[in-house]
Amino acid sequence: MTPSSPLEAWGLLPDEWKPLCTELGIPPYRATQILTGLYQNFAQSWQEITTLPKELRDILAAHILLQPLEVVTTQASEDHVTKLLLGCTDGERIETVLIPSKGRMTQCISTQVGCNFKCAFCASGQYGRVRNLTAGEIVGQVMAACALMRNAQQPSEQDTANQPGKKFELPRPGNIVVMGMGEPFDNYDNMIKALKILNHQKGINIGARHLTISTCGVIPGIQRLSDEGLQFELSVSLHAPTDELRNKLLPVNKRWPIAELIATCKQYFEKTNRLITFEYTLIKKLNDQPEHAAQLIQLLRQLPCKINLIPLSPVEGFDGERPDDRTSLSFLDTLIKAGFNTTLRKSRGKEVDAACGQLRLRTIKGE
Ligand code: SAH
């Protein structure tokens, strides 16, 4: 956030509220009511928090922005993946995806408008980075999802009459993955602050192990995270087992090549005792052949980790293709037989362009 921009309600840590209230001449005990209003009742404006006297609501409204991101479009696929295109106050657009699975909602959130890392098959990087998102805008994406989920699960009067004692679960995603637009470690402070707010018991209260940061391999970010003593999950987008291939797919590899990246991941594991998940997007013929699996096994053999295979979601501007299911399954099988904890991500939400940045790209191009 630039110094001149207003404070954002969703960008403040729960512990910041008491001192802020004092500064504004509001009795500090009101902080609890504010937090309940924001994160239990999902207030969308100060005037909705009616536990606060009108004059206090007015003071808050004058100093702290509480305004939902504008929902520009909502697209749902046949398999109920929902993609939201959201508008920021300066007119920039960001996207977030909701993926229901096994009774839980996973939300994929963005940290930047655009991205500077220009991975070959990622739509977010095609126009470079426009700006970082504030912590309030990152949390705001989850608040938008909560509002949507609340509207979808609003218990009918009949439900409430039939089950008077039943508590309806607060509408919130069970998992957050920082895998939308942007490179999280290129906006480290705002991203970590947002995750702390999402994680905080008086915030959205999502368990740290259900919050996953994904990086294209920004080594200083991995090192910084390993010193924080936080329990968030870390994914590293590897996508290729050799520098020759990774240089072509992820330009970041020229700055931080594979050997350094893997050494940093080892240090991360030694320091935190937490397993890193390596993301590996499978691209037909390019990195999905048995020789690639063998190289990957060799590369990761001394590092306790998990591997997540993602069949490519085709994007305009990159002529790679998604491998057929048999090739993906055989790659998976080879890694499992070599003893790696490996999953193959079912691709979902194809009709809604659920790969990062695709929806924003379409709207920029005016399709
Ligand atoms: N910048 C971070 C987070 C955003 S991308 C990172 O690179 O990890 C989240 C994941 O989606 C990354 O693993 C990325 O490489 C992958 N991805 C991007 N575009 C994709 C596509 N078209 N098909 C499959 N995976 C893609």
Side-chain angles (χ1 to χ4, degrees), residues 202-249:
K202 292 180 188 159
I204 312 242
N205 196 16
I206 300 172
R209 290 173 186 216
H210 296 283
L211 296 164
T212 302
I213 302 165
S214 178
T215 178
C216 63
V218 176
I219 285 182
I222 301 173
Q223 290 167 331
R224 210 173 148 188
L225 185 67
S226 70
D227 291 331
E228 298 258 20
L230 297 165
Q231 300 288 307
F232 303 143
E233 294 290 324
L234 178 63
S235 281
V236 172
S237 299
L238 189 58
H239 305 320
T242 62
D243 281 328
E244 194 194 351
L245 188 53
R246 198 165 187 267
N247 282 342
K248 284 188 203 146
L249 294 174

Side-chain angles (χ1 to χ4, degrees), residues 4 7 13 17 46 51 77 98 100 113 127-128 200 203 209 221 247 259 269 272 280 292 297 301 320 328 360 363 367:
S4 59
L7 286 176
L13 287 163
W17 280 102
W46 288 116
T51 47
S77 70
L98 287 164
V113 180
Y127 286 100
H200 203 289
R209 290 173 186 216
N247 282 342
F269 174 72
T272 62
Y280 192 100
H292 300 118
I297 290 166
R301 73 185 195 294
S328 302
R360 174 171 173 271
T363 52
E367 285 173 31

Side-chain angles (χ1 to χ4, degrees), residues 124-194:
S124 299
Q126 292 190 10
Y127 286 100
R129 181 189 61 192
V130 179
R131 70 168 173 85
N132 283 339
L133 296 181
T134 62
E137 287 168 332
I138 299 171
V139 174
Q141 295 166 62
V142 180
M143 301 312 293
C146 292
L148 198 79
M149 290 168 74
R150 182 176 54 174
N151 293 343
Q153 74 158 42
Q154 204 65 273
S156 67
E157 270 174 41
Q158 205 181 354
D159 282 343
T160 347
N162 289 343
Q163 311 166 58
K166 182 163 162 62
K167 264 188 103 181
F168 287 92
E169 267 199 32
L170 286 175
R172 56 171 58 117
N175 290 305
I176 300 288
V177 293
V178 188
M179 294 188 185
M181 281 161 49
E183 165 51 45
F185 288 150
D186 195 30
N187 184 16
Y188 192 98
D189 293 332
N190 292 345
M191 182 274 301
I192 286 289
K193 188 171 194 194

Side-chain angles (χ1 to χ4, degrees), residues 115 119 121-123 178-184 214-216 235-237 239 279 281 310-315 345 355-356 358:
C115 183
C119 301
F121 48 82
C122 179
V178 188
M179 294 188 185
M181 281 161 49
E183 165 51 45
S214 178
T215 178
C216 63
S235 281
V236 172
S237 299
H239 305 320
E279 305 282 337
T281 293
I310 320 161
L312 178 77
S313 173
V315 285
R345 191 189 296 171
C356 359
Q358 278 176 299

Side-chain angles (χ1 to χ4, degrees), residues 266-282:
K266 275 197 184 127
Q267 288 159 4
Y268 178 91
F269 174 72
E270 280 154 17
K271 218 174 223 177
T272 62
N273 213 20
R274 304 194 55 76
L275 293 183
I276 289 178
T277 300
F278 288 99
E279 305 282 337
Y280 192 100
T281 293
L282 289 166

